[in-house]
Amino acid sequence: MTTSATVPAGPAHAARPELAGTAARTLVRCRDLVRPSLSAALERLHAWPGEMAAYSLGWCEVGGAPTGGAVEGKGVRQALAVLSAEAAGAPGESALAGAVAVELVHTFSLLHDDIMDGDGMRRQRETVWKAYGTGPAVLAGDALLALAVQVLAETPGPHAAAAVGRLSGTLTGLVRGQAEDLLFAARPWTGPDAVRPGEYRAMAELKTGTLLGCAAALGGLLGGAPPRTVSALDRAGRHLGVAFQAVDDLLGIWGDPAVTGKPVHSDLRQRKKTCPVLAALAGDGRQARELASLLEAPLPLDDAGAERATALVEACGGRTATLEEARRHLDAARGCLRGVPLAPRAACEIEGLLEFLLHREV
C-alpha cells in the first residue's frame, strides 16, 4: 500500500482549501499574540535548558542559532486558550498566562514522552534527547513544568488560584494517561488481557484530551466566563483530544514521511497499540487473526511485513473506524460549544479549527 499525504482516503475527505487557510490564519494570529509572553517566560530559565526548550519549540537549532520558525508547531493549545477567552467575551490577552502555561506543559510532555517512547525524530529533526542527551532533556522538561506553574500562579486578577488548581489536576491526568500508555505496550495483542478500544479511548482522553480541555477551560476562566461555560469548554477540549489522538494514530501508519518526519508505517514497525490497530483486531475474521500473528511475531517487521500489516488494518476496518471515532468526538465537541452562550466570531473560529484538525497532515 502506498502512503498518502493526507490521512482521510478519497476526495470526499479532503480538507477544503478555504477551511485550511482560515484555520491557519487563526493559529498564526494566536501564536503571534502569545509569542512575546512565551519568549519572556523562557528567558527566566537557565540558559542551557532555555536553549533546549527553544529548540523543542522550533525556534532555534542546537547551539542557539535561530530557525526562522520553519519547524515551529501548530500551537493548538495556546490557540484554544486565546479563542476561549474571546468566546467568553474577553480580549485574547486576558488568557496569555494560561496560553503560555499550557504550551510549556505540552512542550514538557513531548520532551519526556520522546525519551520514554524512544522516538528520535520530531518535526523532521532530532528530538531533544537525541540532540542534547537524555539527562539534559529530562532537566529541560522539569524546568518547563516548574515554569508553567509559576507563570500561572503569578497571573494578576482573582483567578490565579483556580487556574493553578485546574492545571494541577490536568498534570495528574497526563501522568495517568502516560502510565496507561506505557503499560499497554506490555499487554498482549489478543486474548482476555488484550487492550480494548474503550480502554484506549480513556487513555487518549487523559493523555491528550486533558491538556486540550485545560487550555480551553483556562481561557474561559481567565476571560471571566461563568462556571457552566468553563466546564463546557473543558469538555469540548477533551473530546477534541480524543479526535486529535485518533488522527495522530492514522498519521502514524498512513502519514507521508516527508510531511510527518517519521518513517513510513512507523507506528506499526514499533508495534504501538493505536486506535486503527485495536479497532482492526476487535474483529474475529481471518484477516484480523493474520494481523495479530504479524504483530506477535518475535522479529521486527520488514518492509513487506509492514506493508502487509497496513493492508490488513485497512481491510479489517481500522482506518475507517478511527476516522469515524474522530468525527464522533468532534461532533461531541461542537455540541458542548453550542450548549452555552459564546461570542459568535470566536466560537466560529474554534469550530473551524476543529474541522481543520480532522484533516491535518502533521
Side-chain angles (χ1 to χ4, degrees):
M1 175 181 296
T2 57
T3 59
S4 170
T6 54
V7 169
H13 299 142
R16 299 192 306 273
E18 68 274 16
L19 175 64
T22 301
R25 286 192 293 273
T26 297
L27 290 170
V28 169
R29 175 177 73 83
C30 294
R31 280 204 308 267
D32 287 347
L33 179 65
V34 176
R35 176 69 178 262
S37 296
L38 184 56
S39 179
L42 291 189
E43 288 176 3
R44 301 169 68 174
L45 296 175
H46 183 283
W48 192 33
E51 179 189 311
M52 287 183 274
Y55 175 87
S56 182
L57 287 164
W59 294 358
C60 75
E61 302 292 353
V62 175
T67 62
V71 290
E72 191 168 351
K74 294 178 291 299
V76 173
R77 291 151 190 84
Q78 56 186 286
L80 273 178
V82 170
L83 293 173
S84 295
E86 293 174 348
E93 288 82 358
S94 63
L96 284 177
V100 169
V102 294
E103 191 64 25
L104 293 172
V105 169
H106 176 54
T107 306
F108 139 76
S109 72
L110 294 182
L111 264 65
H112 284 197
D113 285 1
D114 285 340
I115 294 168
M116 286 183 273
D117 297 340
D119 288 337
M121 297 293 292
R122 181 176 292 279
R123 298 177 191 146
Q124 301 182 2
R125 63 178 186 162
E126 287 187 323
T127 50
V128 174
W129 74 272
K130 273 287 188 179
Y132 289 87
T134 302
V138 171
L139 177 66
D142 292 345
L144 288 169
L145 178 57
L147 181 61
V149 176
Q150 184 177 9
V151 166
L152 208 51
E154 294 173 355
T155 306
H159 304 299
V164 171
R166 186 169 287 273
L167 184 67
S168 297
T170 296
L171 293 171
T172 300
L174 284 174
V175 171
R176 289 176 64 88
Q178 181 65 7
E180 290 296 329
D181 196 22
L182 291 173
L183 288 170
F184 285 171
R187 290 171 62 179
W189 289 101
T190 58
D193 294 326
V195 179
R196 305 302 175 190
E199 293 179 280
Y200 185 84
R201 187 180 305 116
M203 180 278 295
E205 181 177 342
L206 287 169
K207 184 176 177 181
T208 307
T210 50
L211 188 56
L212 285 163
C214 180
L218 284 177
L221 176 66
L222 296 174
R228 179 169 172 265
T229 299
V230 173
S231 178
L233 290 167
D234 183 21
R235 291 196 308 274
R238 287 171 180 266
H239 283 297
L240 173 58
V242 178
F244 197 92
Q245 185 62 56
V247 175
D248 255 3
D249 290 348
L250 290 169
L251 289 167
I253 298 176
W254 289 282
D256 182 350
V259 179
T260 66
K262 295 182 178 181
V264 64
H265 309 142
S266 60
D267 282 359
L268 279 173
R269 291 178 185 275
Q270 296 179 52
R271 289 182 166 87
K272 288 186 177 180
K273 292 183 173 70
T274 62
C275 188
V277 178
L278 296 176
L281 291 173
D284 193 30
R286 177 187 58 80
Q287 291 174 315
R289 291 193 295 273
E290 183 185 349
L291 175 61
S293 296
L294 278 173
L295 295 170
E296 290 168 346
L299 296 176
L301 287 175
D302 57 15
D303 290 347
E307 289 279 357
R308 180 58 182 161
T310 300
L312 289 168
V313 171
E314 181 146 22
C316 293
R319 183 170 181 163
T320 299
T322 301
L323 189 56
E324 289 174 352
E325 172 91 344
R327 286 185 174 132
R328 281 195 302 272
H329 282 279
L330 288 180
D331 286 343
R334 292 188 192 97
C336 293
L337 295 172
R338 294 172 185 177
V340 291
L342 299 174
R345 180 175 178 177
C348 184
E349 284 190 276
I350 295 174
E351 292 206 21
L353 199 59
L354 299 182
E355 184 67 21
F356 168 70
L357 292 172
L358 176 64
H359 299 283
R360 66 193 171 90
E361 298 180 2
V362 291

